[in-house]
Amino acid sequence: MREVLPELMAWWEAGEEVGVGTVVATFRSAPRPPGASMLVGPDGTAVGSVSGGCVEGAVYDRAQSVVESGEPVLERYGVSDDDAFAVGLTCGGILDVYVEKVSRETFPELAEVRDHLEAGRPVAVATVIDHPDAAWVGRRVLIRPDAEASASLGSARADDAVRDDALGLLAAGNSGVLTYGPDGERRGEGMRVFVWAFAPKPRMLVFGAIDFAAAVARVGAFLGYHVTVCDARPVFATATRFPEADEVVVDWPHRYLRAEQQAGRVDGRTVVTVLTHDPKFDVPLLEVALRLPEVAYVGAMGSRRTHDDRLERLRDAGVTEAELDRLHSPIGLDLGARTPEETAISIAAEIIAGRWGGSGEPLARTEGRIHR
């Protein structure tokens, strides 16, 4: 939803009705994650994607019919036994897509969602997508960690259960379907609630204002990270040199990282890339980074000789072997990279592999499902 929100808001503010199809659950090798949305505007314009092209036509038609009827529907798309190129996914995956009409009347909270996103505040949107009582379908509430829910799904029990679970998804930055009994019973089936978790962007902290850092910042921004470049040298750490970064900080790297951790701005989604390969910068910095209680990735640039020297310095500083095991160094996957841009791709590839459990091997040499 985040990627199509500007177009949706423009139609919403103009008082138009928009058909919205959203991936709420995936099975096997589905091409788009939960939360991916496609819009069908009042002029027939299609914006966004739910499957990378496989079922867009079917969702487009369904969205138009939903706008006319006003009745939301939950559809499942998978491979057809008779014709894999019919309305289905040729990749072998399965998608559950919730299709609804969005307007000022059906989604009055949309402007509030936009405001929270622009301010960087976490917010979740919980929508009933399936229920034995059709009157419940389409009900939604906004959930924030520091505020009461915006409305009620239909009962106090359901509200309490969904709020607790939605806050868990929001903390992890994950969207997904929650299943309950018809009145929100923890044990039971009948009601399915989709939670859009709009957490702030994960952070990428790039230490070292060098040419490689500019390329890493560009790739990080492309991947959806909030990118910070930090260096103690003001002549190099400038916004002009790093236009793709969200912020450029002049400070000693270890001091900045410790302050960010103490302020609660480093979490389990944060990635740390150390590109200085200068002991006076990277050893104190890595002492802090490798001892962070929660961080997704810590990588450090340098030759194998630099890496071996760095390890000895870190051991001398009291860093344990268990802490050193968290370090990705030399940084990146072996792609044969030479240029800053190629090196940035190799670093990004290692981060992605770590996030999703990928092996880094060519897919042609692996077996089994592509998407774990």
Side-chain angles (χ1 to χ4, degrees):
M1 172 65 81
R2 191 191 295 265
E3 61 194 27
V4 299
L5 188 58
E7 292 85 356
L8 180 58
M9 282 304 309
W11 281 317
W12 185 90
E13 290 175 338
E16 302 284 2
E17 297 178 338
V18 183
V20 180
T22 300
V23 178
V24 296
T26 65
F27 309 91
R28 297 161 60 184
S29 299
R32 298 299 308 278
S37 297
M38 185 180 82
L39 315 179
V40 178
D43 59 353
T45 300
V47 179
S49 172
V50 293
S51 70
C54 301
V55 301
E56 258 71 10
V59 174
Y60 181 94
D61 292 340
R62 177 61 74 183
Q64 288 187 313
S65 65
V66 164
V67 169
E68 293 179 4
S69 69
E71 299 295 327
V73 297
L74 180 63
E75 296 278 11
R76 173 163 291 186
Y77 299 98
V79 173
S80 167
D81 291 335
D82 298 323
D83 182 1
F85 292 93
V87 180
L89 299 171
T90 57
C91 62
I94 298 172
L95 294 177
D96 282 350
V97 179
Y98 180 68
V99 187
E100 62 181 322
K101 177 176 73 174
V102 169
S103 66
R104 285 180 174 270
E105 289 71 32
T106 66
F107 201 160
E109 309 92 345
L110 188 59
E112 184 179 349
V113 173
R114 185 265 321 272
D115 293 343
H116 287 312
L117 293 181
E118 290 181 349
R121 296 186 294 264
V123 60
V125 181
T127 306
V128 178
I129 60 173
D130 192 22
H131 197 281
D133 183 350
W136 282 58
V137 178
R139 292 177 182 174
R140 79 178 93 240
V141 294
L142 266 58
I143 298 170
R144 297 200 62 244
D146 57 353
E148 295 297 323
S150 62
S152 174
L153 294 176
S155 75
R157 172 189 275 183
D159 294 342
D160 290 343
V162 171
R163 174 178 169 79
D164 288 346
D165 294 339
L167 287 175
L169 289 173
L170 186 58
N174 295 328
S175 298
V177 172
L178 305 172
T179 301
Y180 306 94
D183 194 41
E185 299 92 338
R186 291 285 185 178
R187 295 184 178 181
E189 297 182 350
M191 179 170 70
R192 299 175 69 195
V193 179
F194 177 66
V195 177
W196 261 316
F198 296 107
K201 291 181 178 181
R203 298 191 68 188
M204 174 179 281
L205 305 179
V206 182
F207 294 99
I210 63 177
D211 51 354
F212 286 90
V216 171
R218 285 196 296 274
V219 173
F222 175 75
L223 292 177
Y225 286 94
H226 179 96
V227 179
T228 301
V229 175
C230 176
D231 196 295
R233 302 166 297 178
V235 68
F236 296 115
T238 65
T240 302
R241 296 189 67 225
F242 300 97
E244 305 295 332
D246 294 282
E247 54 185 348
V248 179
V249 175
V250 178
D251 199 351
W252 280 86
H254 72 283
R255 184 170 60 190
Y256 173 75
L257 181 58
R258 183 179 290 114
E260 290 298 286
Q261 190 269 331
Q262 292 173 347
R265 291 190 287 269
V266 175
D267 60 26
R269 301 181 300 151
T270 302
V271 302
V272 176
T273 63
V274 180
L275 310 182
T276 51
H277 51 82
D278 183 336
K280 69 176 178 290
F281 289 115
D282 59 19
V283 171
L285 171 60
L286 288 170
E287 283 187 66
V288 177
L290 294 174
R291 289 168 172 162
L292 292 172
E294 287 188 329
V295 68
Y297 174 90
V298 179
M301 177 177 282
S303 66
R304 297 196 185 279
R305 181 176 180 179
T306 298
H307 169 68
D308 291 339
D309 176 71
R310 182 190 291 133
L311 289 181
E312 288 307 309
R313 291 173 183 269
L314 288 169
R315 290 189 181 103
D316 291 342
V319 179
T320 68
E321 293 302 318
E323 290 166 342
L324 289 175
D325 285 343
R326 303 177 65 191
L327 177 61
H328 296 265
S329 176
I331 197 170
L333 296 185
D334 181 13
L335 304 183
R338 294 292 186 273
T339 68
E341 291 74 18
E342 291 173 346
T343 302
I345 294 298
S346 78
I347 294 171
E350 185 173 49
I351 292 171
I352 294 168
R355 178 182 180 185
W356 297 111
S359 66
E361 288 288 323
L363 288 172
R365 297 181 185 175
T366 64
E367 297 180 353
R369 294 179 180 174
I370 293 175
H371 299 102
R372 291 172 174 79

